[in-house]
């Protein structure tokens, strides 16, 4: 009886998620087996029809493969950079932030509530050939010509890092927060030096946070198309750009859907890897 | 699985010749907002506020203001970033807009789909000043669906102070002096068209083998490119581009904006250059078609045309507009384009079949993705 | 016992050390490079944003030289009816998303914690997936379903797409709060004659209120700023502000974008400030930032 009452709370949101999330995902999957008919229109096809997997074969065609590889490379680079920037700052605040800890973290989170487009646009203004950074470099005499920073893979990875850094900082910070300072004191007595203490005590205890952060940064980076469009050059086309173009320029929805499914599968593998690692971590702790 | 059976039954109303791109959007148009049927006949009279759908930075805002003051209506503008997007939105019943700016080829498609209103060009006095070529252009033989806005060529703009050895060919896009500082227009027709011409094919070829070859050409050119971009004025003015595939009007515009206009040259390539016209037309579902027609008349007014040309840099084939453009390009005659060039239809973009359009569009994405 | 004592001792030690600039002989003195590093990270995060704000007040069109102060780019924004309309549309979308998303998300959280239905764990997973799905996937899926059903794209379809992801956000935040509350108070209320629904209204909701308000405002800010989902699901008649900004940026940098961006910042940062402040008014001691962010890591 009691269970029945509470189950009623699930009906509306559950139905909503089914109809507007699960069903659309299924539709994307269905579309990925389809084809473009003679009039250029998207048409569904059974997954068992001959040629139903053509879209998937096309995705790994040498002409498109570089975009897929590039997306993964950029996303990995972004994750590494976010870790390299996010861990020390989270560590600094968690350890030495004192009473202002939450204020400091809040300040770090603040920029991420500024629209992502506007933030990326700021980097366009900063990094362009006659932008503020180049002007400063020329004024300082570092270079006379200005350096090309925009329209490069580095600019794209930088833009992604700027965009998603918060997803690394928060889980790492939360993990550091959960640590008992007494454990560190004990580790210090045991290992004597700070580096050893960090490597043997702090780092392993925050591995959960690092894993979570890596996943949270990697997922949106792989599918991003804003950074590559605004900061990239001719050779920074990512799978997000490719998908977007299939829908709005090349008009091949089934192929776009197949690319979307491939991305989803790839990310699911990544997620499962994370969940298993997290479960492994959790066990000895209990 | 029901979704497999639904297929195309609701989409059959789509016109074969026009249904190519994003037919899906058309579906919703059929379902909810029937834009087809008899073309509406429009008279020039104030019948409400005006909503214009145009390229960005393609009309002097002061002209909207003066029109608004004279006739006591509001004039608003929304921009599109490519023509295909505009067509999709029209089919969808978007806006509804009162005035749009399609190229000649798009006029013929929209007309075929019954998306454009008709009018009598003699009902607007300033149509008298329009160049006689437009009495019967190929895309609108009776000249009752559109009035010309501008005409243009596509060529190469380059910095003559930093780049040497330009040869007047589309090959100049791969001039080593512009390595890493070259832009190709982010427009599938212009990009593939240029490669077709360079390879000696017909501009509008739909032969898959030839398109494949042109793809290879574009891939080679891409090695030298900094990006694909229609943002010509900014690329050139900020110095990011030394060599840029460009529409002639944008070159005029760039030269107006920089302190060293003499350093920017424009060449029309010997393999041939695409030419075309942009027009003004009134969608069938416009809310204020009469006001729109009055606005077309306003734009064709000799003084206004001169003012507008000075602002956007493209020639307007109407009294006032032509003269102003001649003034603008006096120092760089290569930017000029004559109406005579338009008569050669070989050099205007036209697709024979929807498959051809699809092939071009997909090929361009492949080039960008590689 | 002894462990507890050690823990209790640590905080004063840390603050004592914080007062001294140079570190104690052994243990965690503040590594100097970390401070410099932290300062650089803050600079990295804030400089671009401050520059957008600064140049929105520039009196000339340049984005590199500040020439004097002026409000002309704000005037340009406000006198453009299309941009005004878009701003209004975005506010509408965010408001509707906040209201419906918060209601559905709260129901979901309560149901998931209390219900014993066999399929509730499955729903739990279904709720989590939207949070880790790249927006482009969600956007394309939404576009396909609207297309399939023949729904004309409009700000209404944008709302539907936004509500979907906001349900999950709200559910996560509210559930975190719910997990810390027992059901004893509700049972007590029912013993005193309240109906089950009455106990929800009188006991459960007041307890959840800080989390609900914080989550709702968070969702408002996310919806207001969202670009990718809006991009795929918007129609053409009225477009959300971020979609307009996108087309504007692609035509090049312009000071009006700076002004637009700054105005958008004001809206979302005000919302976030409210999300932080309001729950405190409910008499809760714990930091709202903790309420909002502590969950994400856990």
């Amino acid at each position: 009886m009691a269970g029945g009452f509470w189950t009623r709370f699930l009906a509306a949101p559950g139905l909503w998620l089914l109809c507007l999330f699960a069903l659309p995902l299924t539709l994307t999957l269905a579309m990925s087996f389809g084809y473009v008919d003679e009039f250029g229109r998207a048409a569904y096809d059974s997954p068992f029809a001959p040629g139903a997997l053509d879209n998937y074969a096309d995705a790994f065609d040498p002409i498109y493969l570089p975009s897929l590889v590039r997306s993964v490379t950029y996303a990995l680079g972004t994750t590494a950079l976010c870790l390299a920037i996010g861990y020390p700052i989270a560590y600094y605040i968690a350890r030495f932030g004192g009473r202002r800890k939450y204020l400091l973290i809040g300040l770090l989170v603040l920029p991420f509530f500024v629209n992502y487009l506007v933030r990326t646009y700021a980097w366009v203004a900063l990094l362009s050939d006659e932008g503020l950074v180049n002007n400063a470099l020329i004024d300082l005499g570092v270079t006379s010509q200005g350096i090309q920073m925009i329209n490069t893979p580095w600019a794209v990875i930088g833009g992604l890092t700027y965009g998603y850094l918060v997803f690394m900082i928060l889980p790492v910070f939360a993990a550091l927060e959960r640590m008992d300072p007494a454990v560190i004191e004990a580790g210090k007595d045991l290992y004597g030096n700070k580096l050893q203490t960090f490597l043997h005590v702090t780092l392993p205890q925050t591995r959960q946070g690092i894993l979570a952060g890596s996943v949270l940064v990697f997922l949106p980076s792989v599918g991003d198309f804003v950074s590559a469009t605004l900061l990239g050059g001719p050779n920074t086309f990512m799978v997000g750009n490719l998908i977007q173009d299939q829908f709005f320029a090349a008009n091949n929805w089934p192929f776009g859907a197949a690319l979307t499914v491939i991305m989803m599968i790839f990310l699911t593998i990544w997620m499962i890897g994370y969940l298993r690692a997290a479960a492994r971590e959790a066990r000895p702790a209990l | 699985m029901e979704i497999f059976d639904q297929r195309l039954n609701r989409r059959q109303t789509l016109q074969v010749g026009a249904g190519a791109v994003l037919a899906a959007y058309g579906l919703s148009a059929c379902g909810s907002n029937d834009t087809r049927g008899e073309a509406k006949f429009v008279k020039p009279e104030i019948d409400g506020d005006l909503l214009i759908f145009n390229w960005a930075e393609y009309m002097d805002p002061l002209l909207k203001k003066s029109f608004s003051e004279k006739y006591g209506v509001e004039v608003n503008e929304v921009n599109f970033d490519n023509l295909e997007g505009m067509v999709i939105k029209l089919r969808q019943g978007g806006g509804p807009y009162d005035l749009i700016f399609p190229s000649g080829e798009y006029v013929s498609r929209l007309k075929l789909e019954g998306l454009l209103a008709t009018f009598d060009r003699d009902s607007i006095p300033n149509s008298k000043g329009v160049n006689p070529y437009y009495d019967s252009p190929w895309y609108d033989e009776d000249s009752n669906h559109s009035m010309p806005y501008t005409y243009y060529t596509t060529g190469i703009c380059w910095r003559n102070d930093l780049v040497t050895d330009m040869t007047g060919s589309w090959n100049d896009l791969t001039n080593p002096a512009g390595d890493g500082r070259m832009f190709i227009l982010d427009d599938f027709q212009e990009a593939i068209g240029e490669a077709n011409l360079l390879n000696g094919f017909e501009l509008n070829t739909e032969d898959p083998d030839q398109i494949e070859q042109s793809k290879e050409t574009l891939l080679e050119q891409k090695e030298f490119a900094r990006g694909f971009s229609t943002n010509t004025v900014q690329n050139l003015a900020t110095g990011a581009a030394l060599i840029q595939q460009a529409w002639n009007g944008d070159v005029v515009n760039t030269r107006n904006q920089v302190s060293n206009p003499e350093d920017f040259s424009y060449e029309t390539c010997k393999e041939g250059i695409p030419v075309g016209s942009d027009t003004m037309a009134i969608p069938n579902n416009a809310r204020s078609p009469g006001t729109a027609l009055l606005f077309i008349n306003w734009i064709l007014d000799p003084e206004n045309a001169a003012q507008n040309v000075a602002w956007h840099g493209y020639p307007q084939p109407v009294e006032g507009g032509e003269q102003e453009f001649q003034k603008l390009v006096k120092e760089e005659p290569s930017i000029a384009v004559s109406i005579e060039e338009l008569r050669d239809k070989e050099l205007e973009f036209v697709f024979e079949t929807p498959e051809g359009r699809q092939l071009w569009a997909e090929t361009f994405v492949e080039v960008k993705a590689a | 016992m002894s462990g507890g004592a050690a823990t209790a001792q640590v905080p004063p030690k840390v603050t004592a050390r914080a007062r001294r600039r140079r570190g104690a002989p052994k243990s965690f003195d503040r590594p100097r490079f970390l401070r410099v590093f932290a300062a650089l990270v803050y600079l990295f995060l804030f400089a671009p944003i401050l520059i957008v704000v600064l140049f929105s007040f520039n009196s000339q069109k340049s984005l590199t030289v500040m020439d004097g102060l002026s409000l002309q780019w704000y005037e340009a924004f406000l006198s453009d009816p299309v941009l005004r309309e878009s701003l209004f549309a975005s506010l509408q979308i965010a408001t509707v998303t906040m209201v419906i998303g918060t209601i559905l998300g709260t129901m979901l959280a309560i149901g998931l914690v209390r219900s014993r239905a066999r399929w509730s764990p499955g729903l739990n997973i279904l709720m989590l997936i939207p949070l880790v799905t790249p927006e482009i996937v969600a956007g394309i899926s939404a576009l396909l379903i609207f297309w399939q059903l023949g729904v004309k794209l409009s700000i209404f379809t944008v709302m539907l797409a936004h509500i979907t992801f906001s349900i999950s956000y709200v559910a996560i935040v509210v559930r975190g709060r719910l997990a810390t509350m027992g059901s004893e108070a509700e049972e007590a209320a029912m013993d005193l004659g309240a109906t089950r629904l009455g106990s929800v209204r009188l006991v459960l909701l007041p307890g959840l209120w800080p989390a609900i308000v914080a989550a709702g405002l968070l969702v408002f800010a996310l919806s207001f700023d969202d670009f990718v989902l809006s991009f795929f699901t918007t129609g053409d008649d009225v477009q959300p502000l971020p979609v307009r900004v996108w087309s504007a940026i692609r035509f090049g940098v312009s000071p009006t974008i700076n002004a637009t961006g700054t105005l958008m910042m004001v809206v979302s940062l005000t919302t976030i400030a409210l999300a932080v402040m309001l729950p405190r008014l409910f008499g809760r001691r714990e930091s709202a930032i903790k309420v909002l962010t502590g969950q994400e890591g856990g």
Side-chain angles (χ1 to χ4, degrees):
Chain A
M1 242 336 258
F5 174 78
W6 296 114
T7 304
R8 265 178 257 162
F9 281 82
L10 293 174
L15 207 62
W16 187 293
L17 288 178
L18 267 182
C19 293
L20 281 153
F21 189 75
L23 184 66
L25 275 186
T26 319
L27 206 60
T28 310
L29 182 66
M31 172 70 86
S32 74
F33 302 116
Y35 57 95
V36 178
D37 70 9
E38 59 269 41
F39 306 127
R41 305 178 299 198
Y44 292 107
D45 203 351
S46 149
F48 309 107
L53 296 175
D54 280 1
N55 292 321
Y56 289 91
D58 282 354
F60 295 98
D61 186 283
I63 195 100
Y64 293 120
L65 199 57
S67 312
L68 303 189
V69 175
R70 199 179 286 135
S71 303
V72 175
T73 316
Y74 288 3
L76 284 175
T78 303
T79 310
L81 255 176
C82 284
L83 185 61
I85 297 171
Y87 197 101
I89 189 89
Y91 182 84
Y92 176 77
I93 294 174
R95 275 288 91 80
F96 309 113
R99 279 182 305 139
R100 286 172 306 174
K101 226 189 272 188
Y102 290 112
L103 178 71
L104 287 173
I105 272 291
L107 275 177
L108 280 182
V109 176
L110 209 56
F112 296 92
F113 284 101
V114 173
N115 181 282
Y116 180 45
L117 291 179
V118 175
R119 285 189 286 139
T120 312
Y121 159 82
W123 283 103
V124 176
L126 276 168
L127 297 183
S128 62
D129 287 13
E130 302 201 342
L132 284 165
V133 173
N134 262 322
N135 276 8
L137 288 179
I138 292 171
D139 287 348
L140 292 171
V142 179
T143 162
S144 58
Q145 273 284 304
I147 303 166
Q148 184 197 331
M149 285 175 278
I150 200 167
N151 307 126
T152 60
W154 300 111
V156 178
I157 294 174
L160 291 172
T161 305
Y162 190 69
Y164 302 121
L165 181 59
V166 73
F167 296 131
M168 182 64 84
I169 293 178
L170 287 178
V172 169
F173 177 76
L176 284 162
E177 272 282 282
R178 277 197 297 268
M179 276 183 67
D180 186 346
V183 174
I184 301 172
E185 292 291 327
K188 202 177 56 200
D189 291 341
L190 188 62
Y191 294 103
N193 93 33
K194 282 182 287 179
L195 186 67
Q196 292 289 320
T197 311
F198 176 77
L199 289 178
H200 289 101
V201 180
T202 314
L203 200 56
Q205 291 232 20
T206 51
R207 200 181 289 159
Q208 285 270 26
I210 295 175
L211 279 172
S214 302
V215 169
L216 289 176
V217 169
F218 187 85
L219 296 183
S221 301
V222 135
D224 189 273
F225 65 91
V226 171
S227 187
T229 307
L230 297 180
L231 293 164
N235 297 310
T236 58
F237 211 73
M238 292 173 69
V239 69
N241 300 83
L242 189 54
I243 292 173
Q244 189 217 332
D245 267 7
Q246 291 309 319
F247 276 84
F248 293 118
N251 186 36
N252 193 336
W253 287 28
F255 182 47
L259 289 165
T260 310
V261 171
I262 290 171
M263 187 161 88
M264 215 38 207
I265 291 173
F266 180 75
L267 294 179
T268 310
I269 294 171
W270 189 264
M271 271 306 285
I272 290 173
Y274 158 70
L275 289 174
R276 291 183 60 170
R280 250 200 322 277
E281 290 284 316
R283 230 174 291 133
L286 283 172
Chain B
M1 298 229 81
E2 204 174 57
I3 34 181
F4 291 127
D5 303 329
Q6 277 202 325
R7 291 236 180 176
L8 303 163
N9 47 350
R10 288 185 64 192
R11 262 176 286 160
Q12 277 143 11
T13 40
L14 273 173
Q15 298 243 356
V16 174
V21 175
L22 287 194
Y25 277 113
L27 162 72
S28 45
C30 301
S32 57
N33 197 339
D34 195 5
T35 46
R36 280 162 197 80
E38 271 308 280
K40 196 188 284 174
F41 183 80
V42 181
K43 287 196 199 78
E45 62 203 2
I46 291 292
D47 51 8
D49 292 339
L50 197 61
L51 182 58
I52 297 173
F53 197 33
N54 195 3
W55 294 91
E57 310 268 314
Y58 202 27
M59 187 194 297
D60 185 350
L62 290 177
L63 288 178
K64 290 185 283 178
K65 210 171 154 207
S66 53
F67 182 85
S68 169
E69 279 159 8
K70 179 163 179 202
Y71 291 97
V73 287
E74 257 189 61
V75 180
N76 297 324
E77 180 175 338
V78 176
N79 297 324
F80 51 79
D81 34 14
N82 63 66
L83 285 169
E84 203 56 56
M86 183 205 69
V87 172
I88 291 162
K89 283 161 184 175
L90 275 187
R91 288 217 195 93
Q92 207 192 340
Y97 304 105
D98 301 309
L99 184 61
I100 56 171
F101 290 73
S103 71
E105 191 230 339
Y106 279 83
V107 170
S108 67
R109 288 173 61 196
L110 294 170
K111 203 176 78 169
L112 205 74
E113 283 184 66
L115 290 172
L116 296 182
T118 59
F119 53 82
D120 176 8
R121 57 178 280 160
D122 292 332
S123 69
I124 48 173
N126 290 329
S127 65
K128 286 194 299 288
V130 171
N131 187 294
Y133 168 77
Y134 292 97
D135 290 350
S136 179
W138 65 270
Y139 53 82
D140 185 15
E141 284 89 356
D142 301 327
S143 189
N144 60 356
H145 290 86
S146 69
M147 290 307 283
Y149 184 58
T150 61
Y151 54 109
Y152 59 88
T153 62
T154 317
I156 299 176
C157 183
W158 51 288
R159 287 285 294 271
N160 56 39
D161 55 334
L162 299 168
V163 176
T164 51
D165 299 328
M166 294 294 275
T167 59
S169 152
W170 285 111
N171 255 329
D172 289 340
L173 292 175
T174 52
N175 183 334
D179 192 0
R181 306 278 291 273
M182 183 274 280
F183 287 86
I184 298 170
L185 284 174
D186 187 10
D187 177 305
F188 77 103
Q189 292 187 316
E190 295 291 359
I192 291 180
E194 160 268 303
N196 284 345
L197 291 168
L198 182 54
N199 288 328
F201 307 145
E202 274 180 35
L203 174 68
N204 291 311
T205 178
E206 291 177 10
D207 174 354
D209 292 335
Q210 294 190 334
I211 295 294
E212 182 64 26
Q213 245 175 290
S214 290
K215 181 173 103 185
E216 294 303 321
T217 308
L218 277 168
L219 286 173
E220 283 161 34
Q221 290 175 347
K222 191 175 131 173
E223 299 290 311
F224 290 80
R226 175 88 171 257
F228 295 93
S229 166
T230 46
N231 216 339
T232 304
V233 177
Q234 184 171 317
N235 294 340
L236 287 166
T238 60
L242 297 184
I243 298 177
Q244 158 101 41
Q245 186 190 14
W247 289 304
N248 61 340
D250 283 349
V251 181
V252 176
N253 225 329
T254 308
R255 288 161 57 101
N256 282 343
Q257 285 191 19
V258 295
S259 53
N260 53 337
E262 67 284 356
D263 293 338
F264 294 81
S265 292
Y266 179 73
E267 63 180 24
T268 47
C269 304
K270 60 190 176 203
E271 295 89 356
I273 48 166
V275 294
S277 310
D278 279 343
T279 74
M280 299 176 274
I282 303 170
N284 221 1
N285 66 344
R287 284 205 190 110
S288 318
T291 311
L293 193 53
L294 274 176
F295 192 79
I296 291 179
N297 188 49
W298 186 252
I299 291 294
L300 294 175
D301 172 81
E303 249 173 66
N304 290 343
Q307 181 186 334
N308 204 13
V309 168
W311 195 87
H312 62 52
Y314 285 83
Q316 281 182 220
V318 62
E319 215 167 292
E322 308 232 39
Q323 290 84 335
E324 180 66 26
F325 185 71
Q326 293 314 321
K327 265 193 270 170
L328 286 177
V329 297
K330 225 170 33 217
E331 287 150 32
E332 184 62 39
S334 63
I335 304 175
V337 49
S338 87
I339 292 282
E340 289 313 308
E341 292 174 60
L342 293 177
R343 295 193 192 277
D344 183 6
K345 210 182 128 188
E346 303 271 285
L347 289 172
E348 267 190 77
F349 290 112
V350 186
F351 287 105
E352 236 171 80
T353 64
E355 291 92 329
R357 167 175 288 276
Q358 180 76 16
L359 177 67
W360 279 48
E362 276 184 25
T363 304
F364 187 53
V365 174
E366 285 174 19
V367 169
K368 290 208 282 184
Chain C
M1 183 58 201
S2 65
T7 324
Q9 267 178 9
V10 173
K13 257 168 98 186
V14 171
T15 20
R17 230 181 271 122
R19 281 199 198 99
R20 265 181 286 154
R21 282 280 127 147
R22 301 281 152 119
K26 53 185 223 163
S27 85
F28 312 115
D29 45 336
R30 306 176 166 209
R32 203 78 62 81
F33 83 92
L34 261 190
R35 288 177 62 190
V36 176
F37 184 83
L40 285 176
V41 172
Y42 280 97
L43 184 73
F44 168 69
L45 286 177
F46 279 92
I49 293 172
L50 292 178
I51 281 165
V52 168
V53 175
L54 184 68
F55 279 93
S56 73
F57 293 106
N58 199 354
S59 62
Q60 52 156 301
K61 211 179 163 180
S62 169
L63 289 163
T64 46
V65 187
M66 213 37 209
D67 201 45
L69 295 178
S70 118
L71 288 175
Q72 59 170 312
W73 308 114
Y74 289 89
E75 277 170 33
F77 174 88
L78 291 171
S79 63
D80 185 331
V82 174
L83 284 177
R84 262 200 332 252
E85 198 180 57
S86 291
L87 173 67
F88 188 62
S90 280
L91 290 171
Q92 256 181 311
I93 293 168
T95 309
V96 172
T97 302
M98 174 177 73
V99 173
I100 301 184
T102 308
I103 294 172
L104 290 176
T106 305
M107 286 170 70
L108 184 60
I110 296 174
L112 282 178
V113 171
R114 295 283 158 85
S115 166
R116 306 257 178 284
R118 263 182 304 132
W119 41 271
S120 126
L123 190 56
N124 186 31
I125 292 172
L126 180 61
M127 175 201 73
L128 289 170
I129 300 175
L131 295 177
V132 292
T133 305
E135 273 198 286
I136 191 170
V137 176
I140 278 170
S141 303
L143 173 64
L144 284 178
I145 189 98
F146 295 139
W147 166 72
Q148 187 65 44
L149 298 175
V151 180
K152 191 185 171 198
L153 299 178
S154 65
I155 66 168
F156 177 66
T157 48
V158 178
M159 286 171 190
L160 290 179
H162 283 195
I163 291 167
T164 307
F165 81 81
S166 64
I167 291 176
S168 302
Y169 269 100
V170 173
I172 290 275
V173 174
V174 173
R175 190 173 64 171
R177 169 103 214 127
L178 197 57
T180 66
M181 296 165 46
S183 53
E184 295 83 7
E186 288 161 61
E187 279 154 21
M190 289 202 315
D191 288 344
L192 292 171
T195 62
R196 210 190 302 265
L197 211 57
S199 78
V200 169
R201 188 168 56 84
L202 292 171
V203 182
L204 195 58
L205 282 184
L208 288 178
W209 211 230
I212 293 176
V213 170
L217 289 165
L218 174 75
V219 160
F220 182 95
L222 290 173
S223 164
F224 183 78
D225 278 334
D226 173 80
F227 163 64
V228 177
L229 269 180
S230 311
F231 178 69
F232 284 104
T233 52
T234 182
D236 174 58
D237 35 358
V238 183
Q239 295 187 328
L241 199 50
V243 179
R244 288 269 180 247
V245 170
W246 171 250
S247 355
I249 293 177
R250 296 188 54 201
F251 286 121
V253 285
S254 115
T256 314
I257 301 176
N258 288 38
T260 313
T262 307
L263 285 173
M264 290 174 73
M265 263 179 232
V266 171
V267 172
S268 29
L269 295 185
T270 309
T271 317
I272 290 307
L274 283 176
V276 175
M277 306 300 289
L278 279 185
R280 290 198 173 176
L281 297 180
F282 291 97
R284 292 284 152 194
R285 278 288 173 83
E286 80 261 54
S287 163
I289 292 172
K290 220 171 169 182
V291 173
L292 286 176
T293 62
Q295 314 298 340
E296 289 213 37

